[in-house]
């Protein structure tokens, strides 16, 4: 009896937990007036500091602060609302370089832009039932947007991809969109309905059906080739199709011993395999596999084509020793014999039973 042990390692990756998003402003009358954010390091917390000028004007500064600087004063404790931890929220009296006096500092973590959250006497934020969304005109990656906005009730967060006409490089804009409009959009645009959700554009490219592996044909140069053809409908221009080949389910290695892979651009839908690369793989089932990949977003599962058995079929399979018989050999690959040097040698192995 055989026992197979299967170990499955699950790695949970969450971009939300490894990046702390904090409000990032200097000299704002109240933290809610700050619409700029910053992604803080692993060893940093969000902070808010309240100052007063010599003439009595009060303002806030917000951003990231090293955890060590935050924990100078022992932790105050957890708020009942959840994960917010105040490490330091004590009144401090300290003169600043510019003569302003800092009279409250607070650090927090565990919640996105927690430094707007009722610290140092700032008012409790109210989103009036709207989502807080990233709001940028043109960024290289939606996750690099550092402006936020409060969208209205009935609005979703949106991210749109544009392809630069000359460089062909994508750039992104983000903001609010009416929920009704969102249903009409193509897959270069994504709407989502939670705070800060529009920092990515999921790759939703799907093949219309499984790729089709053609029968082998002889091209104009006299080489034997296979076509792997697929159909895909997407409005995205930043998609690439990775086409690989398998023989009996194993990746096909090319002449250099590396996996034979063709990368196709968004407008190419045929990959060609030169049968020369099948060297050493006779009598096996050939398939192609197509995996769409976008320039951002998680990779997608691939689709496999039909199989084509590459080899030489012998019939009948059982040959009598005593009776004269005709044996038929059929090669499923075209046999090219344009000159006498290239001969096909076939040595059937006779096994007696
Ligand atoms: C972003 O794309 C838009 C639309 O194609 C273009 O007008 C703009 O110049 C691009 N911006 C950058 C920084 O590439
Ligand atoms: C294979 O693909 C090439 C390139 O798209 C095309 O010209 C050719 O007609 C195809 N041949 C077959 C047999 O599918
Ligand atoms: C996708 O939709 C957006 C928004 O409606 C539009 O600006 C863009 O041109 C569309 N892209 C394609 C390739 O249809
Ligand atoms: C084998 O094939 C040849 C040519 O087609 C035919 O003349 C002969 O009768 C066949 N022999 C047998 C045993 O079927």
């Amino acid at each position: 009896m055989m026992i197979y042990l299967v170990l499955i390692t699950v790695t949970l990756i969450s971009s939300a937990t490894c990046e702390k998003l904090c409000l990032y402003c200097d000299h704002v009358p109240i933290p809610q007036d700050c619409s700029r954010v910053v992604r803080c390091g692993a060893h940093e917390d969000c902070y808010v500091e309240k100052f007063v000028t010599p003439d009595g004007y009060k303002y806030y500064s917000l951003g990231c602060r090293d955890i060590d600087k935050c924990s100078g004063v022992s932790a105050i404790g957890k708020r009942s609302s959840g994960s917010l931890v105040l490490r330091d929220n004590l009144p401090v009296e300290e003169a600043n370089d510019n003569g302003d006096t800092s009279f409250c500092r607070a650090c927090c973590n565990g919640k996105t832009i927690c430094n707007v959250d009722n610290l140092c006497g700032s008012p409790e934020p109210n989103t009036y039932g709207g989502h807080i969304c990233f709001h940028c005109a043109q960024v290289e990656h939606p996750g690099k947007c550092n402006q936020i906005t409060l969208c209205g009730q009935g609005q979703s967060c949106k991210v749109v991809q544009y392809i630069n006409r000359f460089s062909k490089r994508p750039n992104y804009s983000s903001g609010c969109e009416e929920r009704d409009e969102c249903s009409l959009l193509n897959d270069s645009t994504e709407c989502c309905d939670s705070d800060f959700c529009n920092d990515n554009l999921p790759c939703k490219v799907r093949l219309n059906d499984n790729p089709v592996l053609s029968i082998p044909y002889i091209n104009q140069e006299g080489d034997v080739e296979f076509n792997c053809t697929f159909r895909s409908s997407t409005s995205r221009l930043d998609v690439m199709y990775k086409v690989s080949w398998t023989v009996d389910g194993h990746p096909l290695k090319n002449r250099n011993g590396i996996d034979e892979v063709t990368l196709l651009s968004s407008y190419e839908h045929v990959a060609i395999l030169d049968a020369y690369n099948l060297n050493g793989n006779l009598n096996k089932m050939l398939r192609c596999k197509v995996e769409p990949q976008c320039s951002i977003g998680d990779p997608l599962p691939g689709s496999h084509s039909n199989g084509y058995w590459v080899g030489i079929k012998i019939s009948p399979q059982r040959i009598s020793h005593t009776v004269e018989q005709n044996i038929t050999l059929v090669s499923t690959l075209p046999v090219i014999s344009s000159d006498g040097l290239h001969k096909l040698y076939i040595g059937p192995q006779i096994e007696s039973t």
Side-chain angles (χ1 to χ4, degrees), residues 34-324:
C34 178
S35 61
R36 204 164 155 216
V37 289
V38 63
R39 289 165 182 83
C40 300
H43 202 256
E44 288 177 322
D45 278 350
C46 303
Y47 85 90
V48 55
E49 188 157 3
K50 193 174 182 181
F51 296 92
V52 60
T53 62
D55 48 2
Y57 165 72
K58 287 175 184 156
Y59 67 88
Y60 290 84
S61 287
L62 308 121
C64 310
R65 183 157 288 175
D66 195 286
I67 289 174
D68 293 340
K69 287 189 184 154
C70 285
S71 53
V73 176
S74 60
I76 300 293
K78 277 190 171 113
R79 275 187 8 156
S80 56
S81 63
S83 51
L84 181 73
V85 178
L86 306 184
R87 286 209 165 84
D88 172 351
N89 194 11
L90 296 183
V92 285
E93 283 276 351
E94 229 173 69
N96 209 357
D97 289 349
N98 52 16
D100 299 344
T101 306
S102 156
F103 69 97
C104 174
R105 278 181 209 155
C107 290
C108 62
N109 63 30
K111 204 177 148 207
T112 310
I113 65 162
C114 60
N115 52 348
V116 73
D117 229 6
N118 201 14
L119 299 173
C120 285
S122 77
E124 186 86 55
N126 189 347
T127 58
Y128 307 99
H131 291 307
I132 305 172
C133 305
F134 288 103
H135 181 59
C136 280
Q138 282 175 13
V139 278
E140 276 173 30
H141 188 290
K144 284 190 176 167
C145 176
N146 62 2
Q147 295 287 336
I148 55 170
T149 191
L150 178 61
C151 298
Q153 288 175 11
Q155 287 190 318
S156 299
C157 302
K158 179 171 97 160
V159 54
V160 186
Q161 181 188 67
Y162 298 94
I163 301 291
N164 190 297
R165 223 171 261 253
F166 294 109
S167 69
K168 299 278 178 247
R169 283 158 61 97
N171 72 42
Y172 301 84
S173 72
S174 48
C176 309
E177 181 64 275
E178 297 302 327
R179 216 155 282 161
D180 300 344
E181 294 286 320
C182 283
S183 56
L184 309 169
L185 299 170
N186 55 46
D187 67 350
S188 302
T189 310
E190 171 81 0
C191 285
C192 54
D193 282 303
S194 59
D195 289 348
F196 310 105
C197 60
N198 58 339
D199 62 348
N200 198 4
L201 182 64
C203 186
K204 289 183 178 168
V205 179
R206 293 275 176 274
L207 300 189
N208 295 12
D209 30 45
N210 284 337
V212 175
L213 179 66
S214 74
I215 57 165
Y217 61 93
I218 301 167
N219 72 4
Q220 284 164 344
E221 281 86 54
D223 300 320
V224 178
E225 292 179 336
F226 290 88
N227 279 5
C228 177
T229 310
F230 56 91
R231 295 191 303 139
S232 166
S233 52
T234 172
S235 61
R236 283 183 80 152
L237 297 173
D238 69 326
V239 59
M240 298 267 277
Y241 300 98
K242 178 182 165 193
V243 182
S244 53
W245 308 81
T246 59
V247 277
D248 281 357
H250 300 289
L252 173 66
K253 309 272 182 199
N254 64 18
R255 308 161 205 199
N256 303 321
I258 51 174
D259 290 359
E260 178 69 12
V261 169
T262 313
L263 282 178
L264 300 179
S265 68
S266 60
Y267 49 87
E268 295 173 299
H269 293 108
V270 184
I272 297 173
L273 176 71
D274 189 330
Y276 186 94
N277 289 304
L278 289 170
N279 215 336
N281 285 301
L282 274 193
N283 295 350
K284 289 182 183 169
M285 187 66 88
L286 175 70
R287 289 176 203 276
C288 62
K289 181 183 178 191
V290 179
E291 294 162 276
Q293 300 176 336
C294 299
S295 62
I296 62 164
D298 295 329
L300 298 169
S303 312
H304 289 272
S305 72
N306 53 302
Y308 185 85
W309 192 84
V310 178
I312 292 170
K313 287 178 181 159
I314 302 179
S315 65
Q317 300 240 309
R318 284 181 162 268
I319 303 165
S320 163
H321 287 243
T322 49
V323 187
E324 194 183 293

